[in-house]
Amino acid sequence: MQLDDFDKAFENRVRLQVMSVLVANESYDFVDLKELLGVTDGNLASHMKALEKEAYVEVQKTFKGRKPLTTYLATDKGRTAFEKHLGALEKLILQQKN
Amino acid sequence: MDKTTKLHEDLASIRNIMERSNKFLSLSGLSGILAGTFALSGSLAAYFLVYYPHSPFGFRVRYVNEREVVFQLLLLAALVLIASLTSVLFLTIRKARKKGHTVWNKSSRRFLLNLLVPLLTGGILVLALISRGYLMIVAPACLIFYGLALINGSHFTYSDVRYLGYLQIALGLLCAFLPGFGLIFWALGFGVLHIVYGSLMLYKYE
């Protein structure tokens, strides 16, 4: 089995989902992501930290009125890693079909 | 969990989340049917106001440029609009809740913004035209701007909405070349097309 392209950072489903949202959209902010995925604040925050650490996402902190607004973007590194991971998933599925 | 199932679930969840992250997919098909029905009822009322007892293809009993008639028609149109918007809002919120999705989120805001820019532009322009007495352009302009709004909004909801937009524009342009038949085109575009579209959506997605 080909596991080289299998990215450990995407083993968790929430991280995989976050990455798919950020690849499909220019940017997404924390609250919208939380609602879309149906996860808790703490849960999402810890996963975002992990993705940040891998430099797969970029964080922009601004203010919307008085409320802080945290916006995430996928980095080029993150996009490449995500595509590679998807490719690996596809290959695995194909292999198991045969 | 079996490894293959997890892989398949991973892929399915990616596809679902990606789609929902930029498309608003809670639009209710039933509300399209209702809006179409309201539009048809409104057109019928307008027919009685303007043409009755002649056929809608024939002579008008009253001229539309009488102030009183214009006012009555505007009131009728406003009623149809309010009834349609209310049912769309109500049924769409209900559909979203049933699926456990939120209604006011990034994708619904994007959809609304993209829909409203051409729609309000057209609406305000039409009001300006009415106030200056250019009544014959009203029916085609409404259909055309509504079609443009649908095409613009369709990027952020079911892509089928785009075809509804094309058809509205086609009807609007045709209507522009056939003055005097505004009410019929209006009934076709806002009434019949909405009912057909709503039924298709209901059948396809619900």
Side-chain angles (χ1 to χ4, degrees):
Chain A
M1 232 198 271
Q2 201 164 7
L3 279 172
D4 325 337
D5 289 340
F6 221 78
D7 202 321
K8 272 265 191 288
F10 297 135
E11 231 171 14
N12 178 285
R13 186 166 296 160
V14 176
R15 279 179 228 166
L16 192 62
Q17 289 177 328
V18 165
M19 216 50 214
S20 59
V21 172
L22 293 182
V23 167
N25 293 270
E26 227 172 289
S27 68
Y28 233 79
D29 65 52
F30 189 86
V31 181
D32 289 329
L33 259 181
K34 194 182 76 177
E35 277 185 9
L36 182 68
L37 303 181
V39 291
T40 60
D41 263 52
N43 192 332
L44 183 59
S46 76
H47 288 308
M48 293 317 297
K49 277 258 161 59
L51 288 173
E52 232 180 290
K53 221 172 133 193
E54 298 281 343
Y56 286 176
V57 301
E58 190 189 316
V59 196
Q60 287 176 350
K61 293 196 185 217
T62 47
F63 280 88
K64 191 182 181 184
R66 287 209 167 162
K67 280 192 201 155
L69 182 75
T70 311
T71 310
Y72 294 100
L73 296 89
T75 60
D76 287 339
K77 192 182 169 197
R79 276 174 206 277
T80 319
F82 180 71
E83 272 156 31
K84 240 172 144 183
H85 185 77
L86 275 191
L89 278 180
E90 270 172 1
K91 258 187 217 151
L92 266 178
I93 284 177
L94 275 178
Q95 278 173 4
Q96 267 152 6
K97 259 187 193 160
N98 296 333
Chain B
M1 204 197 316
D2 167 18
K3 202 158 182 198
T4 330
T5 352
K6 186 183 180 302
L7 284 177
H8 280 288
E9 278 180 17
D10 274 355
L11 281 178
S13 84
I14 292 175
R15 193 170 296 145
N16 176 287
I17 289 286
M18 270 177 139
E19 203 177 19
R20 274 205 290 129
S21 71
N22 56 19
K23 279 178 186 273
F24 181 60
L25 299 175
S26 301
L27 271 187
S28 141
L30 184 62
S31 68
I33 300 178
L34 275 181
T37 315
F38 294 142
L40 278 185
S41 325
S43 308
L44 197 68
Y47 160 73
F48 277 104
L49 217 61
V50 182
Y51 292 95
Y52 188 78
H54 297 287
S55 102
F57 299 98
F59 285 111
R60 288 173 184 164
V61 178
R62 298 170 74 185
Y63 283 101
V64 185
N65 51 16
E66 289 168 35
R67 251 204 126 87
E68 193 197 346
V69 182
V70 172
F71 182 73
Q72 284 171 338
L73 287 175
L74 275 177
L75 198 69
L76 189 61
L79 273 179
V80 169
L81 185 68
I82 290 168
S84 306
L85 285 180
T86 314
S87 62
V88 169
L89 225 65
F90 177 76
L91 289 170
T92 295
I93 289 173
R94 204 184 65 161
K95 184 175 166 188
R97 291 234 172 101
K98 224 196 265 171
K99 290 205 288 184
H101 300 160
T102 50
V103 187
W104 193 239
N105 52 38
K106 189 173 173 127
S107 43
S108 67
R109 286 195 293 269
R110 266 203 285 214
F111 168 63
L112 266 186
L113 180 72
N114 280 275
L115 185 78
L116 283 181
V117 171
L119 200 62
L120 289 180
T121 308
I124 294 168
L125 179 70
V126 164
L127 284 180
L129 290 171
I130 292 175
S131 77
R132 296 173 65 180
Y134 296 110
L135 295 174
M136 62 184 181
I137 199 84
V138 170
C142 282
L143 286 165
I144 289 168
F145 276 99
Y146 180 53
L148 290 171
L150 287 177
I151 292 172
N152 210 35
S154 72
H155 301 295
F156 302 102
T157 184
Y158 299 109
S159 49
D160 313 66
V161 169
R162 195 180 319 138
Y163 300 104
L164 181 62
Y166 291 144
L167 288 174
Q168 301 284 10
I169 290 179
L171 272 183
L173 289 176
L174 204 62
C175 177
F177 284 105
L178 295 168
F181 296 104
L183 185 58
I184 292 180
F185 280 102
W186 197 308
L188 278 178
F190 292 109
V192 177
L193 281 187
H194 274 148
I195 293 175
V196 171
Y197 163 82
S199 316
L200 282 176
M201 293 293 99
L202 204 60
Y203 173 73
K204 199 167 163 190
Y205 298 107
E206 289 172 47

